[in-house]
Amino acid sequence: MEKRVLITGASGFVGSCLTRRLLKENCKIHIITRDATNLWRLGGTLKDIEIHNLNLLNSEKISKLASEISVDKIYHLATYGGYHYQNKVEDVINTNVIGTFNLFREFSKKGIEMFINTSSSSEYGEKFKPMSEGMNLSPNNMYGASKAAGTILCSTYAKTNNIPLVTLRLFSPYGYYDAKTRLIPTVIMACLLGKEIKLSNKDSKRDFVFIDDVVDAYIDSSKQVNSYGEIFNIGSGIQYTTDEIVSNIINLTGKHVSIHWENNLDRQYEPQMWVSDIKKANEKLNWDPKVEIKVGLNNTIDWFKDNLQFYR
């Protein structure tokens, strides 16, 4: 039987990759977007997708849409504030808290198999051991605080009303269609085009997880039963410094690139540790990241070689 799904944030890096995978699995896809959204990542697939233009802050229009279409599962990936230039506090709160809750509440009234919410490791704040789902949340920026608020709000609503909900706390996805302003695409393009680059801090640490593994996690989590607000970390369980990632990319491309390290920590707070504990996802979702960092980086490099026209 054909599965009917609704996806928000399908124009983004992770959302577009998830959309493409679900189309391959013969799902009927609806996406919510805004009129001005650039859908370049979905090029070649738009004929197979039903597009709905509306604002998640408009609960009446969301309710109307929920009455007009029938969906089994909702993948909510729309977000704001994950990039340093997305700094409007009102938009951070409106998108990540109010918009998320509007979507969840209105569609849950119609009955759904599962609502898969997307959150962030930024909810944790500074920790000195691998981050696990049971830890206290102490975000150190408005983005992390808004994602934590959205997670708590939806999880509480799900538990008190027995509504199927899973929240995925993503660490640092990378791979095909990644945003050009992020670290890995920046370095890959510099290597491929022979350009100098400026990077902020070689000692910054992140838990990078390849996009294919992330998409697997979305699909695995959507099959959960009796989950009313469960939260799962989605990361590799290994952290790398910026310097290590850059060195790997340079070695894999075989290109020399001139890097200027600014060691500037003013732009955002950088903790000493940023790594996931993924035991819960392994035990309950039967999910494990399969793609080792050098393999993932090499796959990403090959994809960028073939798709540089999107990034010039």
Side-chain angles (χ1 to χ4, degrees):
M1 181 179 175
E2 181 185 60
K3 283 294 181 184
R4 301 156 301 180
V5 304
L6 173 67
I7 305 173
T8 70
S11 63
F13 153 48
V14 178
S16 62
C17 292
L18 174 62
T19 301
R20 289 175 178 276
R21 174 79 69 84
L22 291 173
L23 283 172
K24 289 180 180 179
E25 297 188 2
N26 297 315
C27 292
K28 169 63 177 175
I29 306 287
H30 297 265
I31 69 170
I32 291 178
T33 186
R34 295 189 182 187
D35 289 329
T37 301
N38 189 335
L39 300 177
W40 69 269
R41 290 184 174 91
L42 297 175
T45 70
L46 294 174
K47 66 183 184 300
D48 302 314
I49 296 170
E50 190 163 342
I51 301 173
H52 307 276
N53 291 306
L54 59 85
N55 191 325
L56 293 181
L57 296 181
N58 193 324
S59 59
E60 289 184 5
K61 287 190 176 181
I62 296 173
S63 178
K64 185 173 183 292
L65 179 64
S67 299
E68 293 172 346
I69 66 174
S70 178
V71 296
D72 303 302
K73 300 177 181 182
I74 297 175
Y75 296 89
H76 178 48
L77 293 92
T79 189
Y80 179 89
Y83 299 100
H84 67 90
Y85 52 84
Q86 295 177 332
N87 51 18
K88 295 181 180 178
V89 174
E90 293 82 1
D91 288 346
V92 170
I93 295 170
N94 286 338
T95 302
N96 300 336
V97 184
I98 299 172
T100 296
F101 185 67
N102 282 346
L103 183 72
F104 180 46
R105 179 185 58 192
E106 297 304 329
F107 269 90
S108 67
K109 291 176 183 177
K110 310 300 177 183
I112 51 176
E113 290 180 13
M114 183 59 71
F115 187 102
I116 303 92
N117 183 39
T118 304
S119 200
S120 168
S121 59
S122 295
E123 294 182 36
Y124 288 113
E126 185 174 20
K127 304 297 180 191
F128 298 97
K129 60 182 180 179
M131 300 169 180
S132 62
E133 295 86 348
M135 284 182 169
N136 290 331
L137 304 180
S138 52
N140 48 44
N141 56 46
M142 288 303 297
Y143 174 70
S146 69
K147 297 301 280 187
T151 297
I152 294 169
L153 190 64
C154 290
S155 293
T156 303
Y157 192 79
K159 291 171 185 175
T160 55
N161 294 282
N162 292 324
I163 302 169
L165 169 72
V166 166
T167 292
L168 302 185
R169 278 195 184 128
L170 304 187
F171 276 69
S172 294
Y174 71 98
Y176 330 117
Y177 294 100
D178 203 350
K180 65 181 181 181
T181 55
R182 300 182 76 218
L183 172 67
I184 289 172
T186 296
V187 180
I188 290 175
M189 288 190 294
C191 289
L192 296 181
L193 300 175
K195 293 185 175 181
E196 295 184 357
I197 51 173
K198 293 181 180 180
L199 297 174
S200 60
N201 190 327
K202 63 171 58 179
D203 297 320
S204 296
K205 298 178 179 67
R206 290 293 184 273
D207 181 334
F208 292 93
V209 55
F210 189 56
I211 187 60
D212 287 349
D213 287 327
V214 175
V215 171
D216 285 345
Y218 275 97
I219 294 173
D220 292 345
S221 64
S222 73
K223 299 173 183 175
Q224 279 289 286
V225 294
N226 300 321
S227 175
Y228 308 105
E230 288 269 24
I231 300 166
F232 297 96
N233 286 340
I234 303 301
S236 68
I238 304 170
Q239 69 178 11
Y240 297 92
T241 64
T242 300
D243 193 26
E244 289 171 326
I245 294 297
V246 171
S247 296
N248 271 308
I249 293 171
I250 290 173
N251 290 335
L252 289 168
T253 59
K255 306 284 187 179
H256 174 74
V257 61
S258 180
I259 303 170
H260 302 282
W261 295 100
E262 296 182 341
N263 291 320
N264 178 13
L265 293 180
D266 293 337
R267 195 171 77 182
Q268 61 181 11
Y269 175 78
E270 289 293 342
Q272 294 301 307
M273 174 172 278
W274 199 296
V275 64
S276 61
D277 180 336
I278 53 175
K279 186 184 301 180
K280 183 178 178 183
N282 173 246
E283 293 175 349
K284 292 200 171 187
L285 301 179
N286 195 29
W287 175 86
D288 262 323
K290 299 179 178 65
V291 182
E292 186 268 335
I293 190 69
K294 288 186 179 180
V295 174
L297 289 174
N298 202 50
N299 290 345
T300 306
I301 291 166
D302 287 344
W303 185 88
F304 269 83
K305 286 178 180 178
D306 294 334
N307 293 277
L308 272 176
Q309 70 272 18
F310 294 124
Y311 293 85
R312 291 181 186 276

